Amino acid sequence: MEIKPLELVGIIGFDGLTKNALRLHPDQQHLIYPMGNKVTIKDVPTGEQSFLTGHTNLISAVCVSPCGNFVASGQINHLGFKAMVILWDYNNRSIKSSYEIHKVRVEDVCFTSSSDYLISLGGRDDGNVVIWDVRNNDAMCGSFASNEIAGNTYTISRMTAHGECFLTGGDRTLKVWRIDAKRRKVHGVDVKVGKLRRSINCIVVNEKDHDAYCGTSSGDIIKARLNYRPECGEQAEPVMVGCYSKMYKGNRKVNQAKGEVECYAGGVEKLLLLECEKMIVGAGDGAVELIEIADIDFSKSKAAKLPSTPQIITHLAENVCSTVTSMVLYKHDFVLVGTVLSEIYQIRLSDFDMRLLVTCHNSSIYSIVFPWNYSEIFATGGKNDVRLWRLETQKELLRISVPNFVCSCLCFSHDGRMIISSWNDGIIRAFTPQSGKVIFTIHNAHIKAASAVAITADGRRLISGGCDGQVRIWDIKPDVQRLVSILKEHRGPVTSLCMSSNNENLVSSSTDGTCIIWDIIRCTRKQVLMSNTMYMAACFTPNGIQILTCGTDRKIAYWEAWDGSLVREVEGSTSGSLNCVDISPDGQYFVTGSNDCIVKLWEYHTANVTHIGIGHAAIITACKFSPDGANVVTVSADGAIIVWKSPFTTASAKTPSVKSKAASVRSAKAKESEGRLEKLDLGNIEEEHVARMSQVEETAESVRTTYRGDDRSQPCTRDPAGEPSPICSCARGKEVETTKEQNKTDDACSCKKMETKSASKSKCSSGKTTESVNSASSSRHRASLQSDKKCASKSKSSTERRSVQ
């Protein structure tokens, strides 16, 4: 059977870690940036995406030719292997030529102003500059980019008026290069900077190639005169004119006589040259400023001799809250800024009004989920946040941030009013789908991290799995979430939970090599599926008859849910372990993702691969069919979200689920009790529903909320499964004081329930109460309460009441 490629619909992602990753095509209509091992071309007005496919690893550099006909990209490779540079034909979206000359990594690529040559720069393992003839598809020449006493070279910048010249900069190196096409050589001249030592991050050249401005890692800006002679085009030795810092420190002027210098925090990462010698600076701390270098003569001043002089005047300023990695001028009125947090901002030049255009996860994504029977919205969870996306436009609608924690699993309630998430701090949190407000939190849900979560269709029971190997069943009621049962069978972390279609059975997979089918009504084990592997995922078929499992043995197994027998086992991958599996709504197909970064679509009954998707540059961590079966969404460890078009039209499953006689009786009772089912008290947010997120306008910004745990209730200090303690709740967590302090009137218990109880039973025997407290408290509690008993027998009745409390 012929295996076909999956059609790519869109990629939600922007690789902000790559320097100068964001590029604008000369037509001012298309953005070009890398995502994984693909180059994305995005139409700005319509939002449509097209992709350039050909790289085998992460893309490290991208550039567009000034004529707009070519795109160049370089990649990273493993140690000991050559890194590929690809020259693309932009109009045909195809590969024009490619070469593998650099070792391990391509640091930067750049076209000359005439678009005749492509310059590529190798990383620290290579360090060479290679000149590629674009017209003849031939490597012309090359040279070592730095010198013996300098460090690595990081960046390339082309000249504007001289088509065969370019600059390179790096650690203590700044060079001007000229390409000699007749002799097939390239010549470099060092810029004289005296005793100044700087690491150069970026270079910009003015229109007439008179001056070059260099941003440094120390936070100042170097100005160099290139000394091109206009009459003959020859060049004298280029020299540094000055090194500049800010004129103001906060709200006051810098006093150079005292040796004060204010530089950009985090270094100057990106420069953008405007008209009238004004510049936009992007700094490492996220500062974006419109500046101008004042013409001030410090030669005759008596100020302290410093490496940089305060001559930078700031006109407008904004902050994007993360390191700036790329900036481009858009339609002469806006600046597009790319950050290390994989976000693209649009800043208006007139007033520096800022707007977020593109955002995505910047670290591994661990879970993806669709609302029940609703395909327009889906949610993803990863490090620090949970996000909701619109499938059609790949636009972020909601972001719920929980700083410093990782969301391991997500699920929607069937009524679409809750997003339930499990986190690595052992807490289960439920949020509203529109505003992101907290509905409830279950503290200490697991001893270790909570790794999986699922909910029944009626919303009455929540099932969670943890890294402690336990599966816990919770009763969800208004204002309280009660632990019903703890199922201790797994000896390793629980990796996934899946409910059957009848909402009575649950399958849990674990790294201990077992998958267990549970009866969540009786809270008992039904069957155990065992194999010599670490199970990563398990799921029921839509009719609930069979179960699919996958794991580190690279095999996909079919199991009977009735008796737990193995039906079939097929090879799922040849090189990497399988991390996820999901079945289409009609049960005819299923999709898998593995460590080899390949998405595979299978036919269920024949176990044949029909389509494969090659687009991820990191291991695939989760995959999901949309409820209508029209799309497949996969996520990976690099934060990329890829939407694939399903090649088959699927219908909803019509096969009824198999139920026992007792199960049918229980379901009948459940239907009778539906009318009197208590709903969660959501207060003024009970009208929120996930379907209303699809009504949000395209121009509206995403809703952002941050949960820091400030509004959480005091966590319980005892095991919910243990016996209840009679100790007053207001005294829990406090240290027991000495006998003299407890006899004071200020230390009386303030709990209303204990006051009522003590007032009605003031003459009650204090021995029984003391014994019950001693049985539940520590040794320190016991010693202090025994001393209270001796003192209380000699005191008055009022003092006796206070000691009992």
Side-chain angles (χ1 to χ4, degrees):
M1 184 177 180
E2 183 184 358
I3 300 177
K4 301 178 181 179
L6 277 173
E7 183 181 347
L8 195 61
V9 177
I11 298 179
I12 302 175
F14 163 66
D15 190 2
L17 293 174
T18 303
K19 250 186 175 181
N20 302 321
L22 184 63
R23 302 286 186 171
L24 184 66
H25 195 268
D27 63 3
Q28 299 287 309
Q29 296 292 323
H30 295 85
L31 283 177
I32 300 171
Y33 54 87
M35 187 61 228
N37 59 3
K38 293 184 181 297
V39 178
T40 304
I41 302 174
K42 182 176 182 179
D43 192 329
V44 178
T46 63
E48 295 180 357
Q49 292 178 333
S50 58
F51 308 97
L52 305 178
T53 305
H55 284 285
T56 58
N57 212 323
L58 289 172
I59 295 174
S60 57
V62 174
C63 186
V64 185
S65 64
C67 64
N69 296 327
F70 307 108
V71 175
S73 57
Q75 71 172 48
I76 303 171
N77 211 341
H78 303 286
L79 288 174
F81 294 89
K82 298 293 184 68
M84 182 187 297
V85 177
I86 298 180
L87 181 63
W88 308 87
D89 188 336
Y90 176 80
N91 298 320
N92 298 327
R93 305 290 198 269
S94 61
I95 297 177
K96 186 178 186 297
S97 61
S98 65
Y99 60 92
E100 296 181 359
I101 299 177
H102 299 288
K103 296 177 183 178
V104 183
R105 178 188 177 95
V106 178
E107 192 70 33
D108 199 2
V109 290
C110 182
F111 287 93
T112 58
S113 59
S114 60
S115 301
D116 292 332
Y117 303 104
L118 170 66
I119 307 116
S120 59
L121 174 65
R124 63 180 182 180
D125 298 292
D126 183 79
N128 291 316
V129 170
V130 174
I131 311 300
W132 182 265
D133 192 339
V134 175
R135 308 298 177 185
N136 300 322
N137 292 331
D138 180 34
M140 177 181 292
C141 56
S143 176
F144 190 66
S146 185
N147 51 46
E148 292 79 6
I149 62 173
N152 300 317
T153 304
Y154 302 132
T155 183
I156 310 173
S157 179
R158 60 173 170 259
M159 299 287 189
T160 307
H162 298 79
E164 296 182 351
C165 298
F166 62 94
L167 286 89
T168 60
D171 185 12
R172 294 166 294 166
T173 175
L174 180 60
K175 275 189 173 185
V176 180
W177 300 81
R178 180 177 58 86
I179 301 172
D180 190 349
K182 294 181 180 180
R183 299 180 181 179
R184 298 178 68 90
K185 289 184 177 181
V186 59
H187 305 280
V189 179
D190 289 304
V191 178
K192 289 188 175 182
V193 295
K195 296 181 180 180
L196 192 70
R197 297 292 181 265
R198 291 290 187 270
S199 180
I200 295 173
N201 295 329
C202 56
I203 305 171
V204 291
V205 184
N206 60 6
E207 292 183 357
K208 296 181 180 180
D209 294 344
H210 288 167
D211 302 315
Y213 298 89
C214 309
T216 67
S217 58
S218 56
D220 43 26
I221 298 174
I222 294 175
K223 182 179 180 181
R225 183 166 292 119
L226 301 180
N227 292 329
Y228 278 101
R229 297 173 183 174
E231 60 274 5
C232 60
E234 296 182 358
Q235 183 188 17
E237 281 191 340
V239 295
M240 183 188 72
V241 176
C243 184
Y244 310 120
S245 59
K246 290 185 180 181
M247 292 183 64
Y248 295 92
K249 189 172 184 178
N251 295 324
R252 65 185 183 88
K253 197 169 184 178
V254 171
N255 190 348
Q256 194 186 15
K258 295 182 180 180
E260 291 184 358
V261 173
E262 184 184 8
C263 298
Y264 289 96
V268 177
E269 295 292 335
K270 190 63 182 172
L271 289 174
L272 192 62
L273 196 61
L274 304 177
E275 297 177 354
C276 303
E277 296 298 321
K278 290 185 178 180
M279 284 185 291
I280 296 178
V281 177
D285 63 344
V288 180
E289 298 183 357
L290 177 63
I291 66 165
E292 185 179 3
I293 298 177
D295 188 9
I296 304 173
D297 187 11
F298 285 93
S299 60
K300 298 180 181 180
S301 64
K302 298 181 181 180
K305 297 294 182 181
L306 298 174
S308 58
T309 56
Q311 293 182 237
I312 297 177
I313 302 173
T314 303
H315 297 291
L316 295 171
E318 188 55 84
N319 199 296
V320 294
C321 303
S322 59
T323 302
V324 177
T325 56
S326 54
M327 288 194 306
V328 292
L329 188 62
Y330 178 58
K331 292 185 176 179
H332 303 285
D333 296 325
F334 301 94
V335 175
L336 302 181
V337 181
T339 69
V340 76
L341 292 183
S342 302
E343 295 177 330
I344 300 176
Y345 291 89
Q346 176 182 285
I347 299 178
R348 189 188 297 127
L349 286 177
S350 59
D351 55 359
F352 260 47
D353 179 57
M354 186 171 67
R355 175 172 169 258
L356 180 64
L357 291 183
V358 176
T359 182
C360 65
H361 289 274
N362 59 354
S363 59
S364 181
I365 304 173
Y366 297 101
S367 180
I368 179 173
V369 64
F370 279 89
W372 184 75
N373 205 21
Y374 192 74
S375 301
E376 296 182 16
I377 307 293
F378 68 94
T380 55
K383 185 178 180 181
N384 297 328
D385 53 32
V386 174
R387 306 192 188 197
L388 258 68
W389 309 87
R390 180 180 276 119
L391 181 65
E392 183 180 0
T393 60
Q394 295 96 48
K395 178 180 173 58
E396 184 189 72
L397 302 176
L398 172 67
R399 185 189 304 180
I400 305 169
S401 298
V402 184
N404 304 321
F405 293 109
V406 178
C407 176
S408 56
C409 189
L410 291 171
C411 72
F412 278 95
S413 61
H414 277 230
D415 59 2
R417 298 183 183 276
M418 282 194 301
I419 308 172
I420 304 169
S421 57
S422 60
W423 298 78
N424 66 337
D425 58 352
I427 298 177
I428 296 174
R429 298 176 174 92
F431 304 97
T432 57
Q434 284 185 258
S435 61
K437 296 180 180 178
V438 179
I439 300 175
F440 65 82
T441 57
I442 304 177
H443 297 279
N444 305 317
H446 285 271
I447 299 173
K448 296 181 179 180
S451 56
V453 67
I455 192 170
T456 57
D458 57 9
R460 301 180 67 178
R461 287 203 167 182
L462 179 70
I463 302 95
S464 63
C467 290
D468 52 7
Q470 296 181 4
V471 176
R472 297 192 174 191
I473 302 176
W474 305 84
D475 191 7
I476 306 300
K477 290 184 178 180
D479 303 326
V480 66
Q481 297 77 44
R482 184 175 62 88
L483 180 63
V484 176
S485 178
I486 299 179
L487 308 175
K488 302 178 182 179
E489 293 286 346
H490 290 296
R491 295 181 180 271
V494 177
T495 54
S496 70
L497 296 174
C498 183
M499 291 290 302
S500 63
S501 56
N502 59 8
N503 287 287
E504 294 172 1
N505 297 326
L506 173 86
V507 61
S508 61
S509 63
S510 174
T511 58
D512 62 358
T514 62
C515 290
I516 300 179
I517 304 174
W518 306 92
D519 186 339
I520 62 172
I521 304 298
R522 297 190 180 95
C523 300
T524 57
R525 184 189 72 189
K526 295 182 70 175
Q527 298 293 339
V528 179
L529 317 178
M530 299 183 66
S531 183
N532 187 20
T533 183
M534 297 171 64
Y535 284 113
M536 303 305 295
C539 62
F540 278 100
T541 56
N543 54 20
I545 296 176
Q546 289 186 340
I547 296 173
L548 277 183
T549 62
C550 66
T552 55
D553 61 352
R554 307 190 303 272
K555 293 181 180 179
I556 303 167
Y558 293 61
W559 306 82
E560 285 289 348
W562 176 254
D563 58 357
S565 60
L566 180 63
V567 178
R568 175 190 286 172
E569 200 171 43
V570 296
E571 190 78 19
S573 175
T574 58
S575 59
S577 63
L578 298 174
N579 298 324
C580 52
V581 62
D582 189 55
I583 305 177
S584 62
D586 61 355
Q588 299 297 318
Y589 305 95
F590 65 93
V591 62
T592 59
S594 61
N595 282 0
D596 59 6
C597 310
I598 299 176
V599 180
K600 292 184 179 180
L601 187 65
W602 305 71
E603 192 175 356
Y604 184 84
H605 297 291
T606 62
N608 292 328
V609 179
T610 60
H611 294 75
I612 62 171
I614 301 176
H616 286 285
I619 62 173
I620 300 169
T621 54
C623 58
K624 204 75 176 177
F625 272 97
S626 60
D628 58 4
N631 295 284
V632 177
V633 183
T634 57
V635 297
S636 59
D638 61 353
I641 305 172
I642 299 184
V643 182
W644 312 87
K645 183 179 180 181
S646 177
F648 308 105
T649 56
T650 60
S652 59
K654 298 181 180 179
T655 308
S657 60
V658 179
K659 297 182 182 180
S660 62
K661 187 176 180 180
S664 61
V665 173
R666 288 196 300 269
S667 62
K669 291 181 179 180
K671 289 182 180 179
E672 292 177 2
S673 61
E674 277 185 358
R676 57 178 182 273
L677 175 65
E678 282 186 296
K679 294 184 178 180
L680 287 174
D681 185 14
L682 304 183
N684 58 350
I685 57 177
E686 62 180 352
E687 297 299 326
E688 292 197 15
H689 196 278
V690 68
R692 296 180 182 174
M693 294 298 289
S694 60
Q695 302 173 3
V696 178
E697 296 181 358
E698 289 297 322
T699 57
E701 293 188 2
S702 65
V703 179
R704 297 190 183 186
T705 60
T706 301
Y707 175 77
R708 301 185 183 275
D710 300 333
D711 55 345
R712 66 184 182 184
S713 58
Q714 185 70 22
C716 181
T717 58
R718 64 183 179 87
D719 189 358
E723 295 182 359
S725 173
I727 297 178
C728 174
S729 60
C730 65
R732 186 178 294 125
K734 298 180 180 179
E735 294 291 336
V736 179
E737 300 180 357
T738 59
T739 305
K740 293 181 180 180
E741 291 176 345
Q742 284 187 345
N743 289 334
K744 293 179 181 181
T745 57
D746 295 339
D747 291 335
C749 180
S750 60
C751 181
K752 293 183 180 180
K753 294 184 179 179
M754 290 297 291
E755 284 179 355
T756 306
K757 186 176 180 180
S758 61
S760 61
K761 298 180 180 181
S762 60
K763 299 293 180 71
C764 186
S765 175
S766 61
K768 294 182 180 180
T769 307
T770 307
E771 289 174 0
S772 62
V773 173
N774 289 340
S775 61
S777 60
S778 62
S779 59
R780 188 184 296 179
H781 291 189
R782 188 182 297 110
S784 61
L785 290 173
Q786 284 177 355
S787 62
D788 289 345
K789 183 179 178 181
K790 294 179 182 179
C791 296
S793 60
K794 298 178 183 180
S795 60
K796 295 181 181 181
S797 60
S798 60
T799 308
E800 189 174 84
R801 283 198 298 271
R802 287 194 296 272
S803 66
V804 172
Q805 295 177 356

